[in-house]
Amino acid sequence: MNKIRTILGLLLAVVSVIAAAYVGVWIMFVGGIVQGIEGIKASPVNSMDIAFGVLRVVFAGFVGYLVVVVGFMVTKLVEPSKAKRKRFK
């Protein structure tokens, strides 16, 4: 049982890092740049798109970090504990 939990914990850790890279880099950073460019290219310049694009770029690292932290918290819940539990008699 502990071997399965260890493998599942490792798999969840890897998936959380990949998800954080996807969310932080692709959705937030690249998506923010694209949104800002689309706001500039609009015939009347759309300042709201530019502002949200800049905010997405600024908070890309923080959001990616948040995804990793949540993923590692879930991983810690699944992985077996190394500490010996005290038995009550």
Side-chain angles (χ1 to χ4, degrees), residues 56-70:
R56 282 174 72 176
V57 169
V58 168
F59 288 111
F62 177 71
V63 171
Y65 174 76
L66 221 60
V67 172
V68 165
V69 167
V70 170

Side-chain angles (χ1 to χ4, degrees), residues 9 12-13 18 24-26 28 30-31 36 42 52 56 59 63-64 66 72 75 83:
L12 281 172
I18 292 170
V25 174
W26 188 252
M28 295 295 289
V30 175
F52 281 130
R56 282 174 72 176
F59 288 111
V63 171
L66 221 60
F72 282 171
T75 300

Side-chain angles (χ1 to χ4, degrees), residues 8-61:
L8 185 62
L10 182 65
L11 184 67
L12 281 172
V14 169
V15 167
S16 70
V17 169
I18 292 170
Y22 174 72
V23 169
V25 174
W26 188 252
I27 292 178
M28 295 295 289
F29 188 72
V30 175
I33 292 171
V34 169
Q35 185 176 2
I37 290 172
E38 290 296 322
I40 292 170
K41 281 176 35 179
S43 69
V45 175
N46 192 350
S47 61
M48 191 66 87
D49 276 348
I50 297 170
F52 281 130
V54 169
L55 283 176
R56 282 174 72 176
V57 169
V58 168
F59 288 111

